[in-house]
């Protein structure tokens, strides 16, 4: 299984290297009941976006954080407003 995964990642990386940066698609990873929550770069949920040649539109760099574009949150909340 490990060998298979490594081979797939290598093939994907080679294929995506041929896509110019200007031609890569922007991806919004929607989650939550209303789709207004998302996750930034480094999240396990968004790892496949750059691996498949896309660009995550949420430019947060902190792993395991998410943004909410709806309601304001208290300062004790782990969320970040976009």
């Amino acid at each position: 299984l490990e060998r298979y995964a490594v081979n797939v990642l290598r093939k994907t990386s080679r294929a995506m290297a041929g896509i110019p940066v200007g031609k890569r698609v922007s991806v919004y990873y929607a989650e939550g009941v209303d789709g207004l929550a998302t996750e930034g770069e480094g999240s396990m949920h968004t790892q496949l976006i750059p691996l498949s040649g896309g660009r995550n539109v949420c430019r947060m760099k902190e792993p395991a954080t998410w943004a909410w574009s709806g309601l304001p949150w208290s300062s004790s909340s782990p969320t970040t407003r976009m």
Side-chain angles (χ1 to χ4, degrees):
L1 183 59
E2 178 187 4
R3 188 174 27 231
Y4 171 78
V6 168
N7 284 334
V8 167
L9 289 173
R10 282 186 187 143
K11 287 178 185 177
T12 303
S13 180
R14 283 193 300 266
M16 296 307 108
I19 300 174
V21 174
K23 296 283 186 179
R24 296 181 184 197
V25 296
S26 296
V27 177
Y28 173 75
Y29 176 81
E31 61 182 16
V33 175
D34 56 9
L36 296 178
T38 190
E39 300 202 27
E41 297 171 333
S43 163
M44 70 176 186
H45 295 122
T46 62
Q47 287 178 346
L48 292 178
I49 295 172
L51 283 175
S52 60
R55 183 180 85 66
N56 189 350
V57 297
C58 182
R59 305 308 294 170
M60 294 184 328
K61 299 274 186 204
E62 302 88 29
T65 61
W66 56 288
W68 187 268
S69 58
L71 301 171
W73 296 92
S74 71
S75 60
S76 62
S77 173
T79 61
T80 303
R81 284 193 44 113
M82 290 182 71

